[in-house]
Structures are given as structure tokens and as C-alpha cells.
Amino acid sequence: MDHAQRLEERERNAGIAEARARLSSGGESATYCAYCEEPIPEGRRKAMPGCTLCRDCQEELETM
């Protein structure tokens, strides 16, 4: 693994940790996805307090 890959992995892990911290705090959910800017359905916002990504973007982030 080269330096750029390690840096990318650290940044990704930091982003995931930040997102998990927001979720565990039960903060207010975003109404639009932070990545694709599409609306986040009300059901997801209620089920995942503090979410900032739509389901599709969240799944993509988790599978990277």
C-alpha cells in the first residue's frame, strides 16, 4: 500500500467515524444528501437520527 492509499484510507475512516458519532448523538438529520444532494426520505431521517447521506450514498461509502 503506498502513501496515497494510506492517506485515503485514513480520511475515509475518519469520515466514517465522524458519521457514526453524529448518529450515536441522535442529532438532527439532514434533509438532503451531503454527497449527491438528493432529498433524504423522511423514513430514513426518522430511522437514522443524525444521518447526512441517502441510503444509496451510505451503502456506497460502506463498500469502498
Side-chain angles (χ1 to χ4, degrees):
M1 188 181 283
D2 68 11
H3 178 70
Q5 289 173 318
R6 284 191 299 275
L7 180 60
E8 180 184 9
E9 183 178 19
R10 276 188 239 140
E11 289 176 356
R12 183 176 48 248
N13 289 341
I16 291 169
E18 181 181 337
R20 287 182 176 153
R22 280 194 307 269
L23 286 174
S24 66
S25 70
E28 188 174 331
S29 297
T31 54
Y32 291 89
C33 179
Y35 287 165
C36 71
E37 299 180 354
E38 291 294 317
I40 299 175
E42 183 179 353
R44 175 164 172 74
R45 293 192 320 260
K46 287 183 178 180
M48 300 295 296
C51 69
T52 60
L53 303 176
C54 69
R55 182 184 60 89
D56 291 341
C57 290
Q58 184 67 45
E59 284 181 0
E60 186 175 329
L61 177 70
E62 291 175 0
T63 59
M64 292 179 111

